[in-house]
């Protein structure tokens, strides 16, 4: 499917890795495409990682491109909620 881009987050979504992950997302996320961010492997997330996920969702809304945070582990959901960034983030249940 050319209209959906996928990007798998690293196991550690922290200040040390968000720059590279943002570059990966931008490389795969073309104009008019939806983006699925695969979060199943994330075992560590800090405020920089949470802010990046929130920014991707905001950018999607502003540009009219759907952004799905796929299979976020409990740690991601809890961190996003704790920071007030958890709107639209769930484990799918």
């Amino acid at each position: 499917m050319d209209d959906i881009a996928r990007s798998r987050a690293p196991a550690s979504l922290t200040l040390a890795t968000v720059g590279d992950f943002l570059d990966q997302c931008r490389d795969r996320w073309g104009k008019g495409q939806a983006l699925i961010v695969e979060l199943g492997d994330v075992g560590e997330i800090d405020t920089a990682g949470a802010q990046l996920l929130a920014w991707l969702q905001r950018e999607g809304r502003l540009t009219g491109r759907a952004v799905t945070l796929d299979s976020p582990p409990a740690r991601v959901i809890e961190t996003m909620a704790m920071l007030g960034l958890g709107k639209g983030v769930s484990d799918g249940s």
Side-chain angles (χ1 to χ4, degrees), residues 19-87:
D20 289 339
F21 184 58
L22 175 58
D23 290 344
Q24 174 187 320
C25 289
R26 284 181 170 156
D27 286 346
R28 295 182 181 167
W29 196 15
K31 290 185 178 183
Q33 288 184 316
L35 176 64
I36 297 174
V37 180
E38 299 171 358
L39 296 169
D41 294 338
V42 176
E44 179 182 19
I45 185 170
D46 66 6
T47 56
Q51 288 174 330
L52 173 61
L53 297 178
W55 180 85
L56 288 169
Q57 291 180 311
R58 181 177 179 272
E59 186 69 13
R61 283 190 305 275
L62 291 174
T63 61
R65 298 180 289 175
V67 175
T68 302
L69 302 181
D70 186 44
S71 303
R75 176 169 305 284
V76 171
I77 295 167
E78 292 165 3
T79 301
M80 298 286 287
M82 182 178 66
L83 296 171
L85 302 172
K87 185 176 180 182

